[in-house]
């Protein structure tokens, strides 16, 4: 359902292009690690992955499961709720490990929450939490770094500005780009693995930004 919604909605909101660093499809049992910059991010990521033939399991904030009908559908499709700031947050990684063992592709946002800023510019990924490294080191799953740019041109700023951005996006048709980097294997301790992952996602983000007209990566 999430992928269907994303691939239907994104073409109305902007012009999405996708590039990859490899001709290979995302391998079953891989972890996709995107940068996180706006509420529109998941739609871009899922639409791009669908184009590449991948229907992933997504780790998402548990609040979505409280929405009637949506929560049941998310559970049915195998998506995983993350109860941030609680002792049960670690359980999400156990479920993600099970999904990987079953050959599913898992999407996890290494930065956790959204950045607290109101401008519409694309900026480099923030600090990574340890969840991605913990999952990759525990399972041995390859990590596919994903960078995207343009989502904040759809939705950013105050709540009123966000609503206005969504309403006017079909007329403005902002450019959106997603880039998948080469898969990497995380090794070493938690600090080393997290740093390696952030470097790879940062490079994928730079590639994404470089595809947007009149925008250069910082």
């Amino acid at each position: 359902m999430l992928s269907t919604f994303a691939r239907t909605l994104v073409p109305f909101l902007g012009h999405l292009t996708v590039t990859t660093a490899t001709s290979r499809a995302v391998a079953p049992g891989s972890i996709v690690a995107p940068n996180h910059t706006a509420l529109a991010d998941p739609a871009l990521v899922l639409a791009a992955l669908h184009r590449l033939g991948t229907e992933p399991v997504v780790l998402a904030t548990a609040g979505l499961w409280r929405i009637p009908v949506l929560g049941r559908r998310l559970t049915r499709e195998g998506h995983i709720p993350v109860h941030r700031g609680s002792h049960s947050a670690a359980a999400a990684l156990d479920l993600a490990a099970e999904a990987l063992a079953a050959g599913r592709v898992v999407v996890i946002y290494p930065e956790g929450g959204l950045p607290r800023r109101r401008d519409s510019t694309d900026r480099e990924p923030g600090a990574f939490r340890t969840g991605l490294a913990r999952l990759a080191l525990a399972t041995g799953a390859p990590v596919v770094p994903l960078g995207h740019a343009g989502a904040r041109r759809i939705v950013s700023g105050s709540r009123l500005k966000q609503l206005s951005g969504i309403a006017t996006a079909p007329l403005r048709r902002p450019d959106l780009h997603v880039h998948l980097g080469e898969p990497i294997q995380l090794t070493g301790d938690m600090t080393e693995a997290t740093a390696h992952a952030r470097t790879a996602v940062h490079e994928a983000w730079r590639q994404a930004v470089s595809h947007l007209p009149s925008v250069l990566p910082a």
Side-chain angles (χ1 to χ4, degrees), residues 1-168:
M1 181 190 69
L2 288 184
S3 292
T4 300
F5 178 75
R7 71 173 183 263
T8 302
L9 179 65
V10 169
F12 287 103
L13 297 179
H15 177 242
L16 175 65
T17 52
V18 181
T19 54
T20 67
T22 175
S23 59
R24 300 188 301 272
V26 178
S30 296
I31 304 169
V32 174
N35 61 304
H36 202 14
T37 184
L39 289 172
D41 289 359
L44 269 64
V45 171
L46 290 173
L49 290 175
H50 176 78
R51 287 190 187 182
L52 299 173
T54 298
E55 305 291 342
V57 168
V58 181
L59 274 76
T61 178
L64 295 175
W65 271 255
R66 292 195 292 269
I67 300 174
V69 181
L70 176 61
R72 291 194 297 273
R73 290 294 298 271
L74 293 174
T75 298
R76 189 180 310 144
E77 294 174 13
H79 301 293
I80 301 170
V82 179
H83 299 269
R84 292 175 183 155
S86 72
H87 293 296
S88 60
L93 296 182
D94 294 333
L95 293 174
E98 292 175 9
L100 291 169
R104 299 296 302 272
V105 172
V106 171
V107 173
I108 180 172
Y109 284 91
E111 296 166 81
L114 291 168
R116 294 184 178 181
R117 56 187 180 87
R118 295 196 168 192
D119 61 277
S120 60
T121 58
D122 283 288
R123 297 187 188 178
E124 67 179 46
F128 277 19
R129 300 185 180 184
T130 60
L132 170 62
R134 289 162 61 194
L135 180 61
L137 291 174
T139 62
V143 174
V144 180
L146 184 153
H148 60 80
R152 293 189 70 82
R153 300 180 183 188
I154 297 175
V155 55
S156 61
S158 65
R159 182 167 297 182
L160 180 61
K161 185 179 178 183
Q162 291 181 36
L163 293 173
S164 174
I166 294 172
T168 60

Side-chain angles (χ1 to χ4, degrees), residues 136-217:
L137 291 174
T139 62
V143 174
V144 180
L146 184 153
H148 60 80
R152 293 189 70 82
R153 300 180 183 188
I154 297 175
V155 55
S156 61
S158 65
R159 182 167 297 182
L160 180 61
K161 185 179 178 183
Q162 291 181 36
L163 293 173
S164 174
I166 294 172
T168 60
L171 299 176
R172 295 183 289 111
R173 300 284 296 160
D175 289 299
L176 314 165
H177 191 82
V178 173
H179 179 79
L180 269 75
E182 286 276 5
I184 60 174
Q185 202 74 42
L186 298 188
T187 58
D189 61 25
M190 200 72 67
T191 300
E192 293 169 336
T194 299
H196 185 187
R198 187 181 183 280
T199 297
V201 174
H202 182 269
E203 179 55 31
W205 169 80
R206 284 179 61 88
Q207 290 293 329
V209 174
S210 71
H211 282 81
L212 296 186
S214 303
V215 178
L216 295 175

